Amino acid sequence: MHIKEVVLHTVKMKLVAPFTTSFGTFNEKHICLVEAIDESGISGWGETTASDEPYYNEETTYTTVYMLKNFFIPRVIHQTIKHPMDVHDMLTFVRRNQIAKSAIETAIWDLFAKKNDISLAELIGGTKTEIEVGKSIGIQASPEKLAEKVGDYVDEGFRKIKVKIAPGEDLEYIDAVRKKFPDIPLMADANSAYTLDDIDHLKKLDPYNLMMIEQPLAHDDIIDHATLQKEIQTPICLDESVHSLEDARKAIQLGSCRIINVKIGRVGGLGEAIRIHNLCQDNGVPVWCGGMLETGIGRAHNIALTSLSNFTIPGDTAPSSHYWDEDIIEPEVTMDQGIIQVQKGPGIGFDINREKLEQLTVEKESITTADTPHPIPTA
Ligand SMILES: O=C(O)CCC(=O)C1=CC=C[C@@H](O)[C@@H]1C(=O)O
Ligand SMILES: [Mg+2]
C-alpha cells in the first residue's frame, strides 16, 4: 500500500457540555483529522486526541500538527507499507509524541481495512459484534449534582459510571453516589491529583467498592503506584502512566496496577494498543478503552479496538450526542441501553459528513511530498 497524499483537516468543535477534570475544564477543542489517501483515491481517517492545552500529557493539537507535517507524514508518504502493524516501528525514530503518531497510524489502519474490504474490527481480530459502554462524568458543582447526573446516565443504561475526583471533591461525592446507587459499577478517575502522602485518605475509598481508582498518582509514575496498590484494596487502573507496551510490562511486573485504561492516542496507535491488550490478556489484567472526547472518527477506532476479547470492562465510549451537537461522521455513534453495535462496514465503518467537516474546518493542508527540513530515515 502507498499513501500518495495526506490532508490535515483541523476543526474547531464545541462540546455540548463543559467537561471538568482535576486539571481543568474543557468547553471546546481543536482536533486535527488526518486523511490518508492511497493511489486509487481511497481515504483512511485518524484523529489527534490531544486537547488545546498540554494538561493531560505533553502534547497539544498544535504540537501534533507540527510533528505530523515535519516528521511522521514525511516518513510514511510514498513508502511501501505492507501492513499497518509495521507503522509503529517506522515512527520510533522520534521520541514519544504518541498522539501525533497515532493520528497517522490509525488513518493507515482504516485505509488498509478499506482496501481489503473488511471492517477494522475484523482486521484486528475482534470477536465481539456489540460492546458494553460506560459514561465518564466531569467534576460536578456538588455531591448532590453528581448523584443526579449519575442517575441520568444509569437511566440511559450505561454499563459503567466513571466520576472524576480530586482532593476536597472525593469522599463526599463518592458517598453521595453510593448512597443513591449502592450497586452500580462505579469507578473514580483522579488524573494524578494525589500523592503517597494521601495513602490514609485514599484508604477511605475502600469501603465504597469501586471497580477501580484511575491514575491516582503522578502522570509519569509506575513505582509509587506499586507502593500505593499494596496499601489499598481498590484496584488501581493506570491511564497517563502507560505510554507503550514497555510501560505496561513494567507496571504489571511491579504490581503498579490491576487494570489498564488503553487509549489508542496515548500509546502511539492501534498497533501498540493491540500489543498492550495481548500482554494484559497473557497476564490476567483486564483492559478497557478510555476516551479523549473524540469525534466519531476516534470513537469508531475505539469501538473497533473494544471488540477484542480482553476488553472486559466497559469503556468511556458514549454516543456522539453526548459530545457534539452534530458529529462529522454518518451515521453518528448511537447506543441502546449501554450497548453499541460494532460497525461492520469497511474500515471504521462510518462515512465522513464532508459538508459538516467543511463547516467546522479552521485550517486545511494537503501534503503530497516527503519534503521536510529534517533528516528522516527511510530504511
Ligand atoms: O471521552 C470521554 O468521554 C472520556 C473523557 C475523559 O475521561 C478524559 C478525557 C481526556 C483526558 C482526561 O481528562 C480524561 C481521562 O483521564 O480519561
Ligand atoms: Mg483517565
Side-chain angles (χ1 to χ4, degrees):
M1 178 172 78
H2 290 83
I3 298 167
K4 75 169 173 57
E5 178 184 8
V6 177
V7 183
L8 299 179
H9 307 261
T10 300
V11 297
K12 182 178 174 185
M13 294 182 77
K14 187 169 176 2
L15 288 162
V16 291
F19 186 80
T20 301
T21 73
S22 63
F23 53 69
T25 297
F26 300 100
N27 290 291
E28 61 185 27
K29 61 185 292 194
H30 288 82
I31 299 168
C32 179
L33 304 174
V34 178
E35 181 183 12
I37 307 167
D38 78 343
E39 62 282 355
S40 64
I42 299 173
S43 291
W45 291 86
E47 88 172 60
T48 64
T49 58
S51 303
D52 290 14
E53 296 79 26
Y55 302 156
Y56 169 76
N57 76 349
E58 71 284 359
E59 297 180 88
T60 71
T61 303
Y62 314 103
T63 63
T64 62
V65 171
Y66 178 85
M67 294 306 291
L68 283 160
K69 282 165 56 175
N70 284 277
F71 298 94
F72 303 137
I73 293 169
R75 177 69 184 87
V76 299
I77 198 165
H78 306 315
Q79 296 290 317
T80 299
I81 296 171
K82 290 195 176 69
H83 193 281
M85 213 57 182
D86 303 336
V87 175
H88 174 270
D89 289 350
M90 293 173 75
L91 305 180
T92 48
F93 71 101
V94 168
R95 299 277 188 270
R96 298 288 290 260
N97 288 277
Q98 305 296 67
I99 291 177
K101 289 175 179 175
S102 171
I104 183 68
E105 193 252 18
T106 49
I108 293 169
W109 274 99
D110 181 27
L111 178 56
F112 188 88
K114 283 169 177 167
K115 282 179 72 65
N116 289 277
D117 198 24
I118 58 172
S119 72
L120 185 56
E122 192 181 342
L123 176 60
I124 67 172
T127 55
K128 302 178 205 167
T129 56
E130 61 184 36
I131 61 170
E132 292 188 320
V133 292
K135 174 68 182 172
S136 175
I137 308 173
I139 292 176
Q140 298 299 305
S142 69
E144 296 68 31
K145 183 78 181 133
L146 176 62
E148 190 187 316
K149 274 278 178 197
V150 169
D152 295 344
Y153 299 129
V154 169
D155 291 346
E156 276 195 68
F158 281 102
R159 304 303 172 93
K160 167 170 77 76
I161 298 292
K162 164 165 140 177
V163 299
K164 295 289 180 175
I165 59 171
E169 294 168 316
D170 49 21
L171 293 177
E172 276 182 276
Y173 286 71
I174 297 293
D175 188 64
V177 173
R178 269 294 184 233
K179 277 201 169 65
K180 208 170 163 187
F181 304 102
D183 304 316
I184 59 165
L186 179 66
M187 65 164 285
D189 185 357
N191 289 112
S192 305
Y194 299 91
T195 70
L196 284 181
D197 294 342
D198 298 312
I199 286 182
D200 289 340
H201 180 73
L202 291 170
K203 280 180 181 174
K204 293 174 187 166
L205 287 171
D206 281 344
Y208 289 103
N209 188 28
L210 296 178
M211 298 169 79
M212 66 193 92
I213 178 170
E214 183 180 347
Q215 200 70 38
L217 307 179
H219 67 93
D220 54 357
D221 168 79
I222 289 179
I223 298 281
D224 288 352
H225 278 98
T227 302
L228 177 62
Q229 184 65 94
K230 293 186 182 72
E231 298 293 328
I232 63 173
Q233 290 162 27
T234 307
I236 290 176
C237 170
L238 292 180
D239 174 354
E240 289 90 330
S241 297
V242 176
H243 310 92
S244 64
L245 177 67
E246 272 303 275
D247 285 347
R249 176 184 65 77
K250 292 166 189 168
I252 292 169
Q253 194 172 316
L254 288 170
S256 309
C257 62
R258 296 187 191 138
I259 302 167
I260 291 180
N261 167 348
V262 178
K263 291 181 177 177
I264 296 171
R266 189 192 75 227
V267 301
L270 197 49
E272 195 75 346
I274 294 166
R275 291 184 188 95
I276 291 170
H277 164 275
N278 296 344
L279 173 76
C280 289
Q281 190 159 41
D282 294 346
N283 287 274
V285 173
V287 295
W288 56 281
C289 184
M292 291 293 283
L293 310 174
E294 294 93 342
T295 74
I297 292 173
R299 211 155 293 281
H301 283 283
N302 290 345
I303 295 166
L305 177 66
T306 307
S307 72
L308 293 177
S309 57
N310 192 39
F311 280 89
T312 53
I313 297 171
D316 287 349
T317 313
S320 298
S321 60
H322 279 246
Y323 302 89
W324 319 114
D325 283 329
E326 203 180 342
D327 205 337
I328 49 142
I329 60 167
E330 288 171 331
E332 294 201 348
V333 172
T334 55
M335 175 188 86
D336 178 19
Q337 285 305 307
I339 299 287
I340 290 181
Q341 298 302 315
V342 178
Q343 57 276 17
K344 297 186 174 65
I348 60 172
F350 295 89
D351 294 327
I352 305 300
N353 179 336
R354 293 267 183 183
E355 190 184 331
K356 186 69 188 167
L357 175 60
E358 290 300 318
Q359 270 172 24
L360 294 167
T361 296
V362 293
E363 197 160 337
K364 180 176 176 182
E365 184 166 359
S366 165
I367 298 159
T368 55
T369 74
D371 290 353
T372 172
H374 309 283
I376 300 285
T378 51

